[in-house]
Amino acid sequence: MKKTSTRLADGRELIYYDARDDAVRDAVDRRPLDPTVTTSEVRRDPLLGDCVAIASHRQGRTYHPPADECPLCPSQGDRLSEIPDSAYDVVVFENRFPSLAGDSGRCEVVCFTSDHDASFASLTEEQAGLVLDAWTDRTAELSHLPSVEQVFCFENRGAEIGVTLGHPHGQIYAYPFTTPRTALMLRQLAAHKEATGGENLFDEVVAREVSDGSRIVLATEHWVAFVPYAAHWPYEVHLYPLRRVPDLLGLDEGARTEFPQVYLELLKRFDRIFGEGEPATPYISAWHQAPFGTLEEFEGVNRDDFALHLELFTIRRTSGKLKFLAGSESGMSVFINDVPPESAAQRLREVASS
């Protein structure tokens, strides 16, 4: 992999990740852009103890532009985009309309391919491996920023999810705090460790799923994917490396090499869940990594106790119907799932590639 860092016309950082070592990236952003101005502010809710990012400047962000005006496609002639070069492999750049910025963290966009009509599932294993390299590199770089405590790599796919740009891309949020969902995991991890005299909850969850087998979707030498026992979403898969590591930086060469094959297979199965002729399945794909800040509030737990894993889920519960977060989910954070996890796992096994 070759990494080339440059700057856009408004001062934002842009980084090319190329599969070829001889790639030359010297194109200049020719757009007449003013310096970016953000109003991001993080406020803490005193009742719940969580944080909310207030980012009013995002109201003017690009919204469903036509394909020939896509800001994530390469620049061509007089049609200038966020990417100055005329082609690219993988690109990461600072979001022009970030939810988090400055002392409140950082937001980046990850373009998986220059092909506007592609999807992550249509990437080659080499391309998917390059995206993994980019995620890993950005996790390492962002972890060194003084304002960053946790790095979250994710992809929103589909208009139903709220995606406003059709080009295949994901995002990276670098939070200045430990996110509420991660904090819940760490509290459970600490409580279990104390109650069992040092046993790791993540290890037990994975071992239990492997032993039971009814919710396993696929298993390889280095990875296991399963629908969790208490899945929140209609079709939800958790993907774990079999050797526990706290973050993407900890993956060994075997797991890194095998990941593209495993992940691409999972994405292809998601697009087959609802049968032939159905539109592409909307999904969220989310990497859970250990925070880089202090874990003092989670007594007895350190970073190495956390288990890196990816959660992949769809809000579509059946053909033409979505799972809405209504009163119970949005008001009380109590999920109600219409699809038994065992049935979801069986369906995801049925649609395996031949």
Side-chain angles (χ1 to χ4, degrees):
M1 178 193 77
K2 182 180 180 182
K3 174 183 174 182
T4 306
S5 180
T6 185
R7 292 282 171 179
L8 296 173
D10 54 10
R12 289 175 293 132
E13 185 178 20
L14 180 142
I15 307 159
Y16 294 96
Y17 292 90
D18 288 290
R20 293 180 49 167
D21 291 335
D22 60 353
V24 176
R25 298 297 183 186
D26 55 7
V28 176
D29 185 3
R30 295 180 284 126
R31 297 173 297 171
L33 298 180
D34 294 326
T36 55
V37 177
T38 62
T39 57
S40 180
E41 176 189 2
V42 172
R43 298 183 181 180
R44 185 177 182 275
D45 185 322
L47 293 180
L48 297 179
D50 60 6
C51 295
V52 177
I54 309 297
S56 59
H57 63 279
R58 284 174 53 78
Q59 288 281 31
R61 66 188 184 272
T62 308
Y63 186 81
H64 293 299
D68 60 357
E69 296 179 15
C70 175
L72 306 185
C73 286
S75 293
Q76 299 288 342
D78 293 330
R79 197 190 70 78
L80 306 177
S81 73
E82 288 280 65
I83 297 91
D85 217 324
S86 59
Y88 63 84
D89 290 346
V90 174
V91 165
V92 177
F93 61 88
E94 289 184 77
N95 198 320
R96 190 177 180 185
F97 304 97
S99 302
L100 306 165
D103 293 338
S104 298
R106 175 157 156 153
C107 292
E108 298 181 340
V109 176
V110 184
C111 298
F112 304 138
T113 171
S114 60
D115 184 354
H116 182 86
D117 297 318
S119 67
F120 201 119
S122 69
L123 300 182
T124 66
E125 290 185 20
E126 181 184 31
Q127 289 174 310
L130 189 58
V131 175
L132 177 62
D133 290 341
W135 283 332
T136 305
D137 181 72
R138 296 316 301 154
T139 296
E141 293 291 331
L142 292 169
S143 71
H144 295 307
L145 296 180
S147 62
V148 172
E149 188 165 314
Q150 184 172 357
V151 179
F152 176 46
C153 306
F154 65 101
E155 180 192 3
N156 297 327
R157 194 270 194 114
E160 299 94 329
I161 298 294
V163 175
T164 57
L165 295 176
H167 195 105
H169 73 288
Q171 299 180 68
I172 301 175
Y173 277 20
Y175 297 101
F177 49 80
T178 296
T179 63
R181 187 173 176 84
T182 302
L184 283 174
M185 292 186 206
L186 290 168
R187 292 190 190 101
Q188 290 296 100
L189 188 62
H192 186 81
K193 191 174 184 179
E194 181 180 10
T196 60
E199 296 298 319
N200 186 279
L201 180 59
F202 285 110
D203 291 350
E204 288 196 10
V205 167
V206 173
R208 191 182 308 131
E209 292 294 352
V210 170
S211 176
D212 179 278
S214 64
R215 290 175 295 276
I216 296 293
V217 175
L218 63 84
T220 63
E221 181 181 356
H222 299 282
W223 296 87
V224 61
F226 56 85
V227 178
Y229 173 75
H232 289 59
W233 301 95
Y235 291 90
E236 174 181 342
V237 173
H238 293 193
L239 176 64
Y240 280 79
L242 290 175
R243 184 179 71 85
R244 172 166 45 90
V245 296
D247 52 43
L248 289 166
L249 284 71
L251 291 175
D252 59 27
E253 191 59 33
R256 297 186 69 83
T257 300
E258 200 176 65
F259 171 77
Q261 175 186 353
V262 173
Y263 186 50
L264 291 173
E265 171 63 16
L266 285 177
L267 293 181
K268 290 171 184 174
R269 293 190 192 189
F270 258 59
D271 276 342
R272 300 185 192 120
I273 291 173
F274 304 105
E276 294 290 334
E278 291 289 328
T281 300
Y283 64 73
I284 293 174
S285 178
W287 279 111
H288 291 263
Q289 306 191 80
F292 288 95
T294 177
L295 299 182
E296 291 179 357
E297 64 178 292
F298 310 104
E299 188 173 351
V301 169
N302 56 55
R303 288 193 81 251
D304 290 335
D305 291 321
F306 194 87
L308 167 77
H309 61 285
L310 183 144
E311 297 185 8
L312 174 67
F313 59 90
T314 180
I315 62 172
R316 185 176 292 162
R317 56 188 175 88
T318 189
S319 179
K321 297 180 181 178
L322 301 180
K323 165 63 180 176
F324 291 103
L325 300 189
S328 186
E329 291 86 358
S330 295
M332 286 288 115
S333 293
V334 178
F335 276 69
I336 301 169
N337 190 353
D338 301 315
V339 181
E342 294 74 18
S343 299
Q346 180 179 348
R347 179 57 181 161
L348 286 162
R349 291 192 297 268
E350 290 172 351
V351 295
S353 299
S354 55

